[in-house]
Amino acid sequence: MKNYIYDIYDKARAIIQPVYLRNQSDRTKAILAVGIVCFFWGTTWLASKKGVQHMPALQLAGFRQLFAGILYLIFFFIKGFRLPTKEQFIQFLWMSLLMIVINNGLSTWSMKYMPSGLGSVIGAASPIWIAIISSFVFKETKLNVTTISGLLLGVTGILIIFSDYIHDLFNSSFSLGVLLNVVASITWAFGTIFTVRNAKNVNPYFSLGWQMFIGGIVLLAVSFFTGQFASPAHIDITAWGAIAYLVIIGSIITYSAFIYALKRLPAAQVSIYAYVNPIVAVIVGAILNDEKLTFIITAGTLVTIAGIYLVNTGFKKEKITR
């Protein structure tokens, strides 16, 4: 089997060796955990949107990642984990730059200029970029009929959504937000491919803690030296509330639910959250932030998600035939 594996959830499952369901109680709790992941990760887009209205975006992302990383590392050190080796630290560093600094930094920054629901849909389109990059840049996979259909459907869905924002595209700030989010999505795709191809045999969540910790420091440094840094004493309480929500709900509770579910359910069932998150983000953004929600946006979101599903299905079929 080729080293390239598209489905990152399958990779995580192989690493942590999940124990499958033994009784109905475990199954019920695992399904509840998936529900928590589906809903709360979808709400983090709005939390970021609220936060960047009162704090520079890179500073917000930096504090979020730093605080979450510290909590993760404290937990693992209590569990007896040692400091990473030089080789592991270098690995954590480049993974952090891709997945935390560039991806999370830019996606958070984009929330300053665009609706959170639209940002979530663009972010969810990462599998489309993975398909394009792995097939045409690295030439590691071939596009089958299912994958091509998914790509066309996904692009069509995004175009449908943007047809309702046609006038906003002439706004330079809105266009900048879209560009930042697209670059973040592409970076996530590259980071996913590189992580799966090169990740060493290390606990993925210990790695995540270090990535958050390193990424938080880098983001705060960039924010400070570019002048996009506000004195913590003068930051509105709303921004701190957003950070607390992103750290506790987005990074701690939801990740814990994700791990719990991944250990007890097949990865394909857990990965359903990737299709539900954008729907949650669009609805929550409309209800709590008065973001536009029309029939066209709804239809485009559903078409895009259907395309992403077909892309994932096509990659799994291609993987099985090899």
Side-chain angles (χ1 to χ4, degrees):
M1 180 181 290
K2 297 183 67 173
N3 290 333
Y4 173 82
I5 302 176
Y6 165 69
D7 194 338
I8 190 63
Y9 310 110
D10 285 345
K11 180 67 175 181
R13 182 176 65 178
I15 292 174
I16 62 179
Q17 297 179 342
V19 177
Y20 284 100
L21 304 172
R22 295 183 178 180
N23 54 61
Q24 188 61 38
S25 177
D26 277 351
R27 178 178 178 81
T28 301
K29 292 177 182 177
I31 292 175
L32 177 61
V34 173
I36 291 173
V37 174
C38 287
F39 178 77
F40 286 107
W41 265 347
T43 64
T44 56
W45 288 90
L46 180 58
S48 295
K49 177 70 176 179
K50 291 293 187 181
V52 297
Q53 293 173 348
H54 302 279
M55 179 187 290
L58 296 184
Q59 184 180 9
L60 178 83
F63 276 133
R64 174 202 177 172
Q65 300 298 340
L66 180 63
F67 294 156
I70 289 174
L71 291 175
Y72 266 100
L73 293 182
I74 289 174
F75 171 80
F76 280 108
F77 287 142
I78 292 175
K79 285 288 190 177
F81 279 66
R82 298 180 179 179
L83 290 172
T85 64
K86 180 180 179 181
E87 182 182 18
Q88 288 175 334
F89 185 81
I90 293 174
Q91 175 187 318
F92 297 162
L93 177 61
W94 68 257
M95 290 169 65
S96 175
L97 293 177
L98 277 176
M99 309 295 273
I100 303 296
V101 176
I102 300 178
N103 172 260
N104 186 250
L106 294 185
S107 63
T108 303
W109 190 5
S110 74
M111 288 298 94
K112 183 178 179 179
Y113 306 112
M114 64 188 300
S116 60
L118 178 58
S120 71
V121 175
I122 296 176
S126 290
I128 293 176
W129 291 113
I130 290 176
I132 294 172
I133 293 168
S134 62
S135 299
F136 297 105
V137 177
F138 296 108
K139 302 186 184 303
E140 293 184 328
T141 57
K142 294 181 180 180
L143 298 180
N144 53 37
V145 175
T146 304
T147 305
I148 294 174
S149 300
L151 288 172
L152 294 176
L153 200 61
V155 172
T156 300
I158 292 174
L159 292 176
I160 291 174
I161 294 172
F162 273 103
S163 69
D164 217 31
Y165 287 96
I166 191 68
H167 297 295
D168 296 297
L169 289 172
F170 294 98
N171 183 312
S172 58
S173 295
F174 180 84
S175 298
L176 175 60
V178 172
L179 176 62
L180 290 171
N181 213 335
V182 169
V183 173
S185 182
I186 295 174
T187 302
W188 178 267
F190 271 109
T192 299
I193 294 172
F194 288 147
T195 298
V196 172
R197 293 173 69 201
N198 301 303
K200 304 299 182 182
N201 192 16
V202 63
N203 184 298
Y205 304 104
F206 182 58
S207 169
L208 177 64
W210 277 103
Q211 289 178 54
M212 289 178 169
F213 180 73
I214 296 169
I217 293 175
V218 174
L219 283 167
L220 288 174
V222 172
S223 176
F224 180 80
F225 287 111
T226 58
Q228 301 299 311
F229 192 92
S231 170
H234 298 108
I235 292 175
D236 190 270
I237 189 64
T238 302
W240 292 116
I243 290 174
Y245 186 90
L246 290 168
V247 171
I248 298 172
I249 303 298
S251 297
I252 305 301
I253 293 178
T254 310
Y255 259 116
S256 298
F258 176 69
I259 296 170
Y260 184 90
L262 197 61
K263 287 183 176 181
R264 291 165 175 81
L265 291 172
Q269 291 183 20
V270 179
S271 65
I272 192 176
Y273 86 88
Y275 313 118
V276 179
N277 283 169
I279 298 175
V280 171
V282 169
I283 294 174
V284 170
I287 295 174
L288 299 182
N289 203 44
D290 294 324
E291 294 180 1
K292 184 164 57 174
L293 179 58
T294 64
F295 173 78
I296 292 177
I297 293 174
T298 302
T301 299
L302 295 177
V303 170
T304 302
I305 292 171
I308 295 169
Y309 173 79
L310 288 179
V311 168
N312 285 346
T313 302
F315 262 103
K316 290 174 183 177
K317 289 182 178 179
E318 196 276 340
K319 184 176 64 177
I320 291 173
T321 60
R322 290 178 178 273

